[in-house]
Amino acid sequence: MAAPGENMRVNADRLWDSLMEMAKIGPGVAGGNNRQTLTDADAEGRKLFKRWCEAGGMTLSVDKMGTMFATRPGTDPDALPVYIGSHLDTQPTGGKYDGVLGVLSGLEVIRSMNDLGIRTKHPVVVTNWTNEEGARFAPAMLASGVFAGAIDLEYAYSRKDPDGKTFGDELKRIGWVGEEEVGARKMHAYFEYHIEQGPILEAENKQIGVVTHCQGLWWLEFTLTGREAHTGSTPMNMRVNAGLAMARIVEMVQTVAMENQPGCVGGVGQMFFSPNSRNVLPGKVVFTVDIRSPDQAKLDGMRARIEAEAAEICEALGVGCSVEAVGHFDPVTFDPTLVSAVRKAAEDLGYSHMNIISGAGHDACWAAKVAPATMIMCPCVGGLSHNEAEDISKEWASAGADVLLRAVVETAGIAE
Ligand code: HGY
Ligand code: MN
Ligand code: MN
């Protein structure tokens, strides 16, 4: 019998089966998932995760943002827990692995420790953060942002989805308002395992991303006010065309991002026209600009330039323009000790690995504000994510989970 921890690997088949089981909940239309936060599908996924955690001997606690914390006790009840977290909510046309891989790999770490008879000094807690995606209720990483004290609970409860439903009402409707104060619990360390959602690891043929940093983000929500008018009978020189202003701003965002290369991105993923009728010039256009960079000065410089040039574009067209920052976090540097634990685990396991900066935002970015935190990444096919065709291999999935298991056990300490 190997000493506890010697043959420390997860059960790859069991992890894969759990991923495929969860993927059946909130199916998309093209093989992915539409399990948006606080929908009935989200509630069903939560129930399944709760059942699995309890079957694994864990106890569940829920906070006032609905975030789920499943605890496996350690031998030292006074020791702060080591957390493993990510999210079960998906984009409307999401993949089966974004977020879910991290939560279910955390569960697999617990299941594997149970199988291997490993007892740790620090407790280990697996976390499902509410509303990581920010697709239905902006901003992204909402619950972890409240947990880190960066976002106010009442503000979070007030956020509205496109149908005007509030976060607070929807959380109550699905029955997942917990008792626990958000952010009351303290962490010894936080790990998040996630697909890369970009092309680098696959292109470099590396199994493991040792995540050292995450780029920062601004979500700038523009509201442009034009004049509703007939698209046929209104002469061109009489138009107050908010749609044209929006088009010029989207083009300008592209220009600003390209002029700030390398190391930044900018684009628009969502826009609303009102009244959104084919033969009515829009009276109102609302859209969100998403800009990101690992460089703080570049990120903030892009924001300032985009807001200034958008105002000029709108003024020239006589279009009203207001902008609100509806999402933000600064670039993140992850904890060097935990980053080294991840790198050592990959080396001990003989997995190819490289340092990487996360392009996407994650709950780990907020966790890093209140505890030592870091991330592990695995490749994804073609770097594709936020697309139902998002794909990974079972081998990629379990390699990262093996690294997670070893890094967590190393950090939580094997009890004598
Ligand atoms: O937007 C992001 O980076 C994350 O997917 N919520
Ligand atoms: Mn994610
Ligand atoms: Mn995502």
Side-chain angles (χ1 to χ4, degrees):
M1 169 76 167
E6 220 164 80
N7 57 350
M8 229 189 308
R9 291 175 188 270
V10 300
N11 179 323
D13 291 335
R14 180 172 56 194
L15 171 57
W16 195 255
D17 292 347
S18 298
L19 286 165
M20 294 306 112
E21 196 62 29
M22 184 60 75
K24 291 175 189 163
I25 299 174
V29 295
N33 275 110
N34 178 7
R35 192 172 54 246
Q36 294 183 65
T37 196
L38 308 190
T39 58
D40 293 341
D42 181 22
E44 201 186 328
R46 287 164 173 266
K47 223 166 79 186
L48 176 60
F49 176 59
K50 175 174 184 286
R51 180 157 59 81
W52 280 340
C53 289
E54 289 169 346
M58 293 192 269
T59 51
L60 187 73
S61 174
V62 182
D63 74 10
K64 289 182 174 173
M65 280 294 288
T67 295
M68 301 168 73
F69 300 97
T71 299
R72 179 183 198 255
T75 54
D76 176 353
D78 301 330
L80 287 180
V82 171
Y83 284 71
I84 306 169
S86 200
H87 60 94
L88 293 174
D89 68 306
T90 75
Q91 286 286 336
T93 55
K96 298 192 284 284
Y97 309 103
D98 172 0
V100 187
L101 176 65
V103 176
L104 299 189
S105 293
L107 172 64
E108 178 52 37
V109 162
I110 302 296
R111 288 167 165 171
S112 297
M113 289 200 291
N114 292 342
D115 293 347
L116 294 167
I118 293 174
R119 290 165 51 75
T120 56
K121 174 174 177 283
H122 293 258
V124 178
V125 177
V126 183
T127 305
N128 169 34
W129 296 102
T130 303
N131 190 35
E132 187 282 340
E133 289 295 355
R136 189 180 171 199
F137 303 98
M141 293 94 83
L142 186 60
S144 51
V146 176
F147 185 91
I151 301 174
D152 175 68
L153 181 68
E154 290 318 310
Y155 173 80
Y157 274 25
S158 73
R159 302 305 290 155
K160 286 197 171 111
D161 73 3
D163 299 329
K165 291 182 182 149
T166 66
F167 178 97
D169 289 347
E170 284 295 279
L171 184 63
K172 210 178 297 167
R173 183 185 67 81
I174 66 166
W176 277 91
V177 182
E179 302 285 312
E180 192 177 302
E181 287 308 318
V182 184
R185 54 180 56 230
K186 300 303 169 209
M187 300 177 169
H188 175 62
Y190 175 88
F191 289 92
E192 183 157 358
Y193 172 33
H194 205 288
I195 60 170
E196 179 199 339
Q197 301 183 291
I200 299 168
L201 292 175
E202 186 185 41
E204 299 294 330
N205 196 23
K206 298 286 189 235
Q207 291 166 289
I208 300 294
V210 179
V211 189
T212 56
H213 300 80
C214 182
Q215 60 179 353
L217 160 153
W218 281 107
W219 277 3
L220 307 174
E221 186 180 85
F222 281 89
T223 300
L224 307 188
T225 311
R227 185 173 61 225
E228 292 179 18
H230 198 297
T231 50
S233 55
T234 309
M236 293 305 280
N237 65 352
M238 286 180 62
R239 298 180 175 209
V240 183
N241 192 338
L244 175 60
M246 179 274 296
R248 288 184 178 168
I249 290 170
V250 172
E251 178 69 37
M252 176 267 288
V253 169
Q254 174 74 11
T255 303
V256 170
M258 294 313 291
E259 288 177 2
N260 277 279
Q261 291 305 307
C264 73
V265 290
V268 173
Q270 180 189 68
M271 63 180 69
F272 297 102
F273 270 43
S274 169
N276 203 29
S277 167
R278 291 177 184 77
N279 46 6
V280 179
L281 291 169
K284 190 163 93 165
V285 176
V286 181
F287 59 101
T288 301
V289 171
D290 179 327
I291 52 173
R292 310 199 191 197
S293 174
D295 178 316
Q296 184 79 55
K298 186 174 281 192
L299 180 66
D300 292 343
M302 285 167 65
R303 175 191 179 185
R305 186 174 155 195
I306 286 167
E307 290 186 353
E309 293 194 15
E312 288 164 13
I313 287 167
C314 290
E315 193 180 345
L317 293 170
V319 168
C321 175
S322 68
V323 57
E324 181 193 354
V326 294
H328 173 60
F329 57 85
D330 289 336
V332 174
T333 301
F334 287 122
D335 178 80
T337 307
L338 299 185
V339 170
S340 305
V342 167
R343 188 177 297 112
K344 180 175 177 305
E347 281 160 2
D348 292 352
L349 285 154
Y351 291 144
S352 57
H353 58 279
M354 63 181 282
N355 289 355
I356 194 166
I357 295 175
S358 176
H362 301 283
D363 295 307
C365 299
W366 285 129
K369 295 276 174 271
V370 293
T374 198
M375 295 188 71
I376 302 162
M377 283 184 171
C378 75
C380 51
V381 176
L384 190 64
S385 183
H386 285 193
N387 182 311
E388 291 207 42
E390 178 186 278
D391 197 11
I392 63 173
S393 71
K394 186 193 288 190
E395 293 67 34
W396 283 343
S398 60
D402 287 339
V403 170
L404 180 65
L405 171 61
R406 287 191 179 222
V408 165
V409 170
E410 156 99 12
T411 307
I414 292 186
E416 301 312 319

